[in-house]
Amino acid sequence: MSSELEKLLVPIKQESKKVRVGADEDGGYVCLQTSLSKGMDVLSFGVGPVITFEKDLMDNYDATVTCYDEAVEIPLTTLNRYPKLTYVKEFLTKENVNKIFDEYQFPVLVQMDIEGCEFDFFETITPKNMEKIETLILELHFEWPIKIDKQRILDNLKRLNETHVCYHLHGNNNLYGVVEGTEVPIALEASYIRKDLSTGTEVDNQTYPLRGLDFKNTGDQRPDFIMNWWCSK
């Protein structure tokens, strides 16, 4: 990745313990323990049929979860088992994003894996609705399934950093490019907390992935990405 991009993607150490929510594979994410509360509201944009992240939140935190995705079907058995789970067969779009968030009060946890459309989200959501997001767990897509203009990526990450603080990063080992003969991630799982709730200012000066928290997205032989561009040299 470019040095400009790396400067905008720096995990900040938090007082809270980090915990893994969901499966130890694709679909599981790292959250701050203090951001997980009983009865929390969760909005999940871009899901698979298994939804281990969302199930974990419902099982352990009695969360109320609403999933949006037009491309998948959540099994009826899952919907019947979880009365606090709602599935809306729609994509998140520029047209519906603020209509959806207008119905919520913060705190709300948002999971987002929408294949590059996260940049439409950043450009469309109102400041008032962005403020409602206490925790944002998302996958940032740079070159797949569509190549995103570099300046657009930088502008939107700057916008995100104005309201939220990154506390964890993980490279998707299933989505990679090659720069000067080295494999680099073209999609990153990133965890953010709203800036006023952040308890730290120091860079998390350790190399990722972190044992027990991070796991490969795909089970093939490709290793996890080693990431430490933010560490003191």
Side-chain angles (χ1 to χ4, degrees):
M1 296 191 300
S2 71
S3 59
E4 294 174 282
L5 185 56
E6 290 177 351
K7 289 177 182 177
L8 295 171
L9 290 165
V10 175
I12 301 300
K13 187 186 304 182
Q14 302 292 314
E15 293 178 3
S16 175
K17 178 183 178 181
K18 294 179 182 180
V19 294
R20 179 85 179 183
V21 179
D24 293 344
E25 58 185 4
D26 195 48
Y29 301 99
V30 174
C31 296
L32 296 177
Q33 191 170 61
T34 52
S35 70
L36 304 175
S37 58
K38 289 290 184 181
M40 63 193 300
D41 285 320
V42 178
L43 282 169
S44 197
F45 302 104
V47 297
V50 181
I51 60 167
T52 62
F53 178 76
E54 293 79 5
K55 287 179 179 178
D56 201 342
L57 292 175
M58 289 184 287
D59 287 337
N60 294 299
Y61 298 94
D62 195 31
T64 298
V65 178
T66 304
C67 296
Y68 287 80
D69 198 319
E70 191 175 306
V72 303
E73 294 287 350
I74 295 178
L76 185 59
T77 52
T78 300
L79 293 169
N80 288 336
R81 178 184 171 189
Y82 291 98
K84 287 195 170 185
L85 172 64
T86 301
Y87 168 53
V88 182
K89 197 173 177 61
E90 294 179 10
F91 290 129
L92 181 67
T93 66
K94 290 183 177 181
E95 289 71 32
N96 66 12
V97 56
N98 286 303
K99 292 178 183 177
I100 292 169
F101 278 88
D102 284 345
E103 301 297 319
Y104 285 83
Q105 299 299 316
F106 79 89
V108 60
L109 182 150
V110 171
Q111 183 281 137
M112 184 177 297
D113 184 1
I114 54 176
E115 318 300 355
C117 294
E118 60 270 20
F119 299 104
D120 290 338
F121 167 82
F122 294 137
E123 292 164 354
T124 306
I125 190 169
T126 65
K128 180 180 178 180
N129 282 330
M130 191 68 180
E131 192 176 314
K132 296 176 183 178
I133 303 173
E134 181 180 277
T135 297
L136 176 61
I137 309 293
L138 78 158
E139 185 158 295
L140 293 162
H141 300 82
F142 305 134
E143 295 188 20
W144 186 93
I146 56 175
K147 186 176 179 65
I148 308 296
D149 177 75
K150 177 182 175 182
Q151 191 58 51
R152 189 183 182 205
I153 294 171
L154 297 175
D155 290 345
N156 279 287
L157 287 178
K158 289 175 184 176
R159 182 180 289 115
L160 176 58
N161 286 345
E162 289 175 358
T163 60
H164 289 71
V165 174
C166 178
Y167 62 84
H168 197 81
L169 291 168
H170 176 253
N172 187 327
N173 77 310
N174 194 42
L175 298 173
Y176 66 97
V178 178
V179 176
E180 296 179 354
T182 301
E183 291 186 354
V184 296
I186 59 173
L188 289 175
E189 296 167 344
S191 301
Y192 287 81
I193 188 80
R194 206 176 62 213
K195 184 171 283 189
D196 64 302
L197 300 173
S198 173
T199 57
T201 57
E202 296 181 5
V203 173
D204 189 7
N205 198 33
Q206 56 184 328
T207 295
Y208 287 22
L210 300 181
R211 185 183 297 273
L213 285 176
D214 294 313
F215 298 87
K216 295 192 298 181
N217 297 76
T218 179
D220 65 18
Q221 297 302 308
R222 189 180 302 121
D224 240 340
F225 290 107
I226 305 300
M227 303 191 303
N228 59 8
W229 59 77
W230 54 81
C231 292
S232 301
K233 305 302 182 187

